[in-house]
Amino acid sequence: MKNRDQNSRQQNNIPGMRNKRGNYLQAEWLKYRHSSAGKLCIFMPLVTVIASAFMTHKFFTVDSYNWWYTMMFPGMLPLLCGIVIGKDQKIKNHSLLSIPCDMGRVWDAKVFCAASFGGIGCLFLGSLTILVGYLLEWGLHFRFQIRPSLGAQMLAIVLIWTGFLWMVPFGLFLTRMIGKIPATIALFAMAMVVDTSYSLTSYYWVLPGGVAARMMCVVLGVLPNGLPARPGEMTWTPQVMDPNSLWIGTISAVVWFLILWIAGKIWYERRMKK
């Protein structure tokens, strides 16, 4: 442990490494050039859009987003975390322990990469949904029951990504602790339960899991169960349409992300020094 502490301090004296967070990010990105992370960011949105287009028709746009934030995205993020944290684990962290590294910055780079892959997936999903929606509406003359504006869809993309940022550091931690498959199942099951029930309560902001689904009630006009957010529909209540949930949910999501990021960073530094 003493030698590793000394190596960590020596990192500050290495030319080109001192205060160079970009070096860590670049090194981390290079690990995933030939990984399945990029393919996952294309495959999952593509499956979501195609399935929604063939199965929902008049509700295509809102169901594409609804399936994304209730099922596909909560399933994709843990898989991305498994890819990011698993690269070093496969070689027993030899690449990190054989050279002097700032483990805190290594953790930052892993969080950034996993979050960026998630953002790419959300952006691709939104772009496909907008494009296919216009093709169905103007090319095949579909008439959607709910037609969110372009601005609403762009906002939805950003808020969905923001609402699930907390899952990145937590997913990296959980994957490291219990393994890729158990962590993926646990996070997906938790998201499914929280999205469909907890997000409809008045205290949805206390835990981050239900934030995205709650904000989509206002932005897209759709409930977590996929039904239109209007009186008479199952699980609808006036409070789910409160526009204040947008800023409350965003703040809650960001705060939880920062808490889990910092806590994970402290844990990772201690773990790698053992």
Side-chain angles (χ1 to χ4, degrees):
M1 182 184 297
K2 183 177 179 181
N3 291 335
R4 287 181 185 169
D5 288 341
Q6 289 175 346
N7 286 340
S8 180
R9 288 193 297 268
Q10 289 172 357
Q11 182 263 347
N12 292 322
N13 296 321
I14 297 178
M17 290 295 290
R18 184 170 49 203
N19 299 322
K20 295 287 186 178
R21 282 187 171 84
N23 290 340
Y24 289 91
L25 291 176
Q26 183 180 15
E28 200 67 29
W29 272 117
L30 289 174
K31 295 177 184 178
Y32 314 116
R33 285 184 303 175
H34 304 293
S35 73
S36 57
K39 297 176 183 178
L40 200 62
C41 294
I42 296 175
F43 176 76
M44 297 289 275
L46 195 60
V47 169
T48 305
V49 172
I50 292 175
S52 181
F54 277 97
M55 296 175 66
T56 63
H57 301 294
K58 294 182 179 181
F59 292 94
F60 161 72
T61 303
V62 292
D63 277 352
S64 181
Y65 290 109
N66 181 255
W67 292 3
W68 180 247
Y69 64 78
T70 58
M71 294 185 295
M72 304 301 278
F73 196 43
M76 187 183 85
L77 271 181
L79 292 176
L80 289 173
C81 290
I83 293 171
V84 169
I85 204 73
K87 273 289 183 179
D88 293 318
Q89 281 188 298
K90 287 182 179 179
I91 56 175
K92 298 182 179 180
N93 298 305
H94 177 73
S95 61
L96 297 177
L97 299 177
S98 61
I99 59 175
C101 292
D102 185 331
M103 293 304 171
R105 291 187 180 180
V106 171
W107 174 261
D108 292 343
K110 290 183 181 298
V111 170
F112 179 85
C113 287
S116 297
F117 280 125
I120 292 171
C122 284
L123 185 60
F124 189 53
L125 180 281
S127 300
L128 279 179
T129 300
I130 293 170
L131 176 61
V132 174
Y134 275 112
L135 291 176
L136 291 176
E137 187 171 19
W138 301 109
L140 299 179
H141 306 291
F142 276 42
R143 291 294 176 262
F144 299 129
Q145 293 290 328
I146 304 177
R147 184 66 170 87
S149 66
L150 178 60
Q153 294 185 63
M154 294 174 67
L155 178 61
I157 296 168
V158 175
L159 292 179
I160 290 171
W161 178 69
T162 304
F164 279 97
L165 276 177
W166 66 272
M167 193 179 279
V168 172
F170 188 59
L172 293 173
F173 163 77
L174 205 60
T175 300
R176 180 63 191 263
M177 292 298 293
I178 64 176
K180 181 179 179 179
I181 295 177
T184 299
I185 295 174
L187 287 170
F188 179 74
M190 181 176 66
M192 289 288 289
V193 172
V194 173
D195 275 349
T196 56
S197 56
Y198 184 78
S199 61
L200 298 172
T201 67
S202 57
Y203 45 86
Y204 67 93
W205 52 272
V206 176
L207 295 176
V211 166
R214 181 59 171 269
M215 291 191 291
M216 292 306 102
C217 295
V218 179
V219 177
L220 298 176
V222 61
L223 296 167
N225 57 13
L227 295 173
R230 59 193 179 196
E233 299 290 353
M234 185 184 300
T235 71
W236 186 88
T237 58
Q239 67 180 6
V240 301
M241 300 303 292
D242 183 2
N244 288 325
S245 63
L246 298 183
W247 66 266
I248 293 174
T250 301
I251 292 175
S252 173
V254 172
V255 168
W256 271 108
F257 169 64
L258 293 176
I259 290 173
L260 293 170
W261 183 358
I262 295 171
K265 184 174 183 176
I266 295 172
W267 165 82
Y268 189 75
E269 287 178 318
R270 292 177 178 175
R271 176 98 177 187
M272 295 300 289
K273 288 180 181 179
K274 289 183 179 180

